[in-house]
Amino acid sequence: EVQLVESGGDLVQPGGSLRLSCAASGFTFSTSWMNWVRQAPGKGLEWVANINQDGGEKYYVDSVKGRFTISRDNSKNSLSLQMNSLRGEDTAVYYCARDVNGGFGSWFDPWGQGTPVTVSS
Amino acid sequence: QSVLTQPPSVSGAPGQRVTISCTGSSSNIGAGYGVHWYQQVPGTAPKLLIYGNSNRPSGVPDRFSGSKSGTSASLAITGLQAEDEADYYCQSYDNSLSASVFGTGTKVTAL
């Protein structure tokens, strides 16, 4: 079964840091582009970042550039999102999702169950 | 802020046909990028419903269909069922933002 399981979500103070992880199983992780997508409470979906198969290409939404870093460890089938200088507007459920067709314009399947991040004092 | 616009809500009686529009621009849908649709039941993760404008993944009922024309796309549910009540999002790629983009989302209600 193709599966993604996120972890690491927590309550953190503004300006703080957090590292999210996503464990992949049931597919060849090392050949897949991967994404992080977030959803603020009561709001819609927002793409956050993606990374190519070997980690050499990374792209981010403007609002997190310079603060978030996406990375992967193909030996552990693991995706990560390091989030620094966190702000209230970063409060959301964070999902990892596989990029099915690779690269630009592709679709996401499957999605993990999500991990909640709350930025508040 | 979303660059793909959807109606906030649509509703219909069970058995009816409902459609959800997704309006973009020349830098995303109009540039030829595929449109994909997701279904999200509140409190759960999104689920892929349609990919590449009109293709259904295995296991998705054929009452769901997608189409694209110009700078817009549509999702149709033919024969609405109570279990179809959920939020629906379109997704594409925007070359001016260099980012994947999602629609604003539409809540579907079976009356």
Side-chain angles (χ1 to χ4, degrees):
Chain A
E1 178 191 7
V2 179
Q3 192 173 18
L4 297 168
V5 178
E6 303 94 335
S7 61
D10 205 347
L11 169 64
V12 60
Q13 291 190 341
S17 297
L18 202 60
R19 187 177 184 88
L20 306 182
S21 296
C22 172
S25 61
F27 66 98
T28 307
F29 180 76
S30 61
T31 63
S32 299
W33 282 71
M34 296 296 296
N35 297 265
W36 286 100
V37 178
R38 66 184 178 183
Q39 186 170 34
K43 302 297 184 181
L45 302 170
E46 180 183 39
W47 173 81
V48 174
N50 69 354
I51 186 170
N52 77 332
Q53 293 91 334
D54 65 7
E57 292 184 57
K58 304 175 184 181
Y59 301 92
Y60 302 90
V61 68
D62 283 349
S63 59
V64 308
K65 285 178 182 176
R67 300 189 300 123
F68 289 12
T69 302
I70 189 172
S71 62
R72 65 191 297 159
D73 185 340
N74 287 341
S75 68
K76 297 181 179 179
N77 289 347
S78 178
L79 176 73
S80 295
L81 185 68
Q82 177 66 43
M83 304 186 295
N84 298 331
S85 303
L86 283 162
R87 306 167 180 167
E89 53 264 38
D90 296 319
T91 294
V93 173
Y94 285 73
Y95 297 99
C96 67
R98 181 182 66 167
D99 201 311
V100 178
N101 208 32
F104 310 126
S106 181
W107 54 97
F108 306 151
D109 184 55
W111 298 57
Q113 86 287 351
T115 188
V117 172
T118 303
V119 183
S120 175
S121 55
Chain B
Q1 58 279 22
S2 300
V3 298
L4 303 181
T5 303
Q6 301 177 229
S9 63
V10 298
S11 61
Q16 281 192 329
R17 182 178 188 268
V18 297
T19 61
I20 302 169
S21 60
C22 175
T23 302
S25 68
S26 59
S27 61
N28 41 69
I29 299 174
Y33 295 105
V35 179
H36 323 297
W37 292 89
Y38 302 88
Q39 177 191 61
Q40 185 181 34
V41 174
T44 70
K47 169 192 167 186
L48 179 67
L49 203 61
I50 296 287
Y51 66 93
N53 305 324
S54 59
N55 301 289
R56 278 189 315 276
S58 173
V60 172
D62 60 6
R63 64 178 181 274
F64 293 97
S65 62
S67 63
K68 171 188 163 182
S69 178
T71 58
S72 296
S74 291
L75 174 72
I77 309 174
T78 303
L80 185 67
Q81 299 187 6
E83 67 202 52
D84 299 332
E85 288 200 332
D87 296 319
Y88 293 80
Y89 294 90
C90 60
Q91 178 235 327
S92 187
Y93 181 82
D94 191 288
N95 60 24
S96 67
L97 297 174
S98 297
S100 289
V101 289
F102 286 94
T104 48
T106 299
K107 181 177 181 62
V108 170
T109 303
L111 300 172

